[in-house]
Amino acid sequence: MADTFQAAVVDKYTGNPADFHLTTVTRPQTIGDTQVEIQVHAVSLNPIDYKRAEGMLSLMLPEQFPLKLGYDVAGTVTRVGTSVTRFIVGDRVYGRARRQEVGTIAESVVVSDMALAKIPENVAFNTAAAVPLAGLTALQALEKCGAAEGKSVFVSGGMGGVGMFGVALAKLHFNASEVITTVSTAKISRVKEMGATRVVDYTKEDYTQVLENTADVVLDTIGDAASYKVARPHTKVVSVALLPDGNGLEYFRDGAPPLSFFNGFKFAVAKKLVSGIAWFLTRGFRAKDIAYEYVVMQPDGKALEDVFNPLLASGALKPAIANVHAFTEQGIQDAFRESREGHATGKIIICVKD
C-alpha cells in the first residue's frame, strides 16, 4: 500500500455537512500486536458519527482535530499484528472500530482484532458494512431485555438502523412468538419482510394506546419515554436512544484518557443532571414495576461471526440499504446530510473501493 491515504475529517465541531472534507493521512509504520490494518471497501454511517462531529459527546470525549470519522468498516486485511491468529493478509473482514480507533471513513484503518469477523464469501462489502454497530446494538439490547423463544417483542422504529436489526433478530435469532413494531405507511411492507408480524402505522395511530400492555420485551430505538406503556407490568424496557443514568455516561468514554480537573468536574455535574432527568422520564416505568436500562454497544467480532454470519450467508438477514454514496468530498457530505435528516429507510453506505 501507499505511504499515505485519504480520510474524512472535520477541523472543528460542526453540524454543517459542507465542513466535512478529505485530508491526506500518513500510514502508520507499525501497528499493535492485536491490531489489523484494513484496506477499506465500504463503511456505513450511524447517528454517533454526526453527533461526534457536532460535539455532542465533547463533555465525555474531548476530541483532537482534525477529527477522523466513522466506526463501521468492511474491507480487506493488509497487515496483522504479531499476536493476531484469526486473520491473515487478504481476508475480507468487517466490524465496528473501538473509540480509540475511530476513523473508518478512509482508504485505510487499523482496528483491534477482537472487533472483527470474516465476511461470508457470498456477502458483499456494502452489505457487511451495514451490520456492525447497528446490528450489535440490537443484539446486545435484546439480550439485556430478556428476548427469548415464545416471548412477544416490541421494537420501536422498525426500519431505522437499529430497529430493522432488532426486528430481524427477534424473529430469526431469538424466535420470538410475535414481533411488533412501528413505521410510517411507506415502510410497512419492507418491515414485514424483515420479520415483523404486527405493524402499527404511527402516522395514523398512537402506538402506545393500540399496543398497551402487549409486549414481554421492549426495545426503544427512538427515545420515547412513553414506550413503557407497551410493556406488560413487571417486565423490562431497554433503550438505545432515551437517556442513560449518570453512571451509564461512563460507557461512552470507553477507555478515553483521564479528564482534566475542570472537565472532570463538569462531567460529574453532567452525570448528576442526566441521572435526575432520566429518573423523571422513567417515572411511568416504575409505576408499572418495569425495569429500565440504557444500552451502549460494545464491539464484538465473535458475535458478528457466531450470530450474524450464518444469517447473512443464508440470506435470511438482508440489511436494508437506503443509499450508497461515493468516497468523494461531495459524496461524504451528501451521506452525512442524509444521515442527519433521519428519514432514510435502512443504512447509508459510503463505498470507498469497488
Side-chain angles (χ1 to χ4, degrees), residues 223-246:
D224 188 354
S227 61
Y228 74 91
K229 295 180 181 179
V230 178
R232 294 191 173 103
H234 320 300
T235 55
K236 186 172 184 177
V237 174
V238 170
S239 180
V240 298
L242 191 54
L243 271 181
D245 61 22

Side-chain angles (χ1 to χ4, degrees), residues 4-210:
T4 61
F5 60 91
Q6 295 286 291
V9 299
V10 291
D11 297 321
K12 60 182 179 181
Y13 289 131
T14 178
N16 183 359
D19 292 329
F20 293 70
H21 66 95
L22 291 171
T23 193
T24 300
V25 177
T26 301
R27 184 187 182 204
Q29 292 185 349
T30 61
I31 62 174
D33 292 347
T34 59
Q35 289 185 312
V36 175
E37 183 185 63
I38 302 167
Q39 182 178 43
V40 181
H41 286 251
V43 300
S44 68
L45 295 189
N46 298 280
I48 193 172
D49 294 315
Y50 67 76
K51 289 178 180 179
R52 285 184 64 247
E54 292 178 4
M56 293 176 67
L57 303 181
S58 60
L59 182 60
M60 297 167 285
L61 297 170
E63 307 281 12
Q64 293 185 340
F65 295 97
L67 174 62
K68 292 190 286 187
L69 304 164
Y71 284 86
D72 282 337
V73 63
T76 305
V77 174
T78 53
R79 192 168 29 157
V80 297
T82 55
S83 298
V84 174
T85 58
R86 295 172 55 226
F87 309 106
I88 61 173
V89 172
D91 281 345
R92 300 165 72 246
V93 296
Y94 71 127
R96 187 272 204 186
R98 298 183 302 168
R99 184 205 62 78
Q100 304 95 318
E101 299 159 342
V102 67
T104 60
I105 308 175
E107 292 175 314
S108 179
V109 69
V110 175
V111 179
S112 170
D113 66 339
M114 57 77 64
L116 300 171
K118 292 181 182 178
I119 302 173
E121 292 183 2
N122 61 335
V123 175
F125 285 114
N126 285 358
T127 300
V131 174
L133 192 152
L136 288 171
T137 299
L139 175 66
Q140 293 169 15
L142 287 171
E143 288 174 339
K144 284 184 178 292
C145 60
E149 185 173 0
K151 290 190 176 184
S152 59
V153 175
F154 171 72
V155 180
S156 59
M159 282 309 297
V162 175
M164 70 172 176
F165 286 107
V167 167
L169 290 171
K171 188 69 173 178
L172 298 171
H173 179 65
F174 293 97
N175 297 311
S177 60
E178 187 173 26
V179 181
I180 312 164
T181 192
T182 57
V183 293
S184 59
T185 309
K187 301 177 183 179
I188 292 176
S189 61
R190 187 68 180 93
V191 81
K192 287 182 176 179
E193 293 174 4
M194 296 298 297
T197 58
R198 184 178 179 185
V199 182
V200 173
D201 184 342
Y202 68 79
T203 68
K204 298 179 179 179
E205 297 179 292
D206 181 345
Y207 79 91
T208 63
Q209 294 181 5
V210 175

Side-chain angles (χ1 to χ4, degrees), residues 120 122-123 172 308-318:
N122 61 335
V123 175
L172 298 171
F308 289 93
N309 276 6
L311 297 175
L312 291 168
S314 69
L317 177 61
K318 298 177 180 178

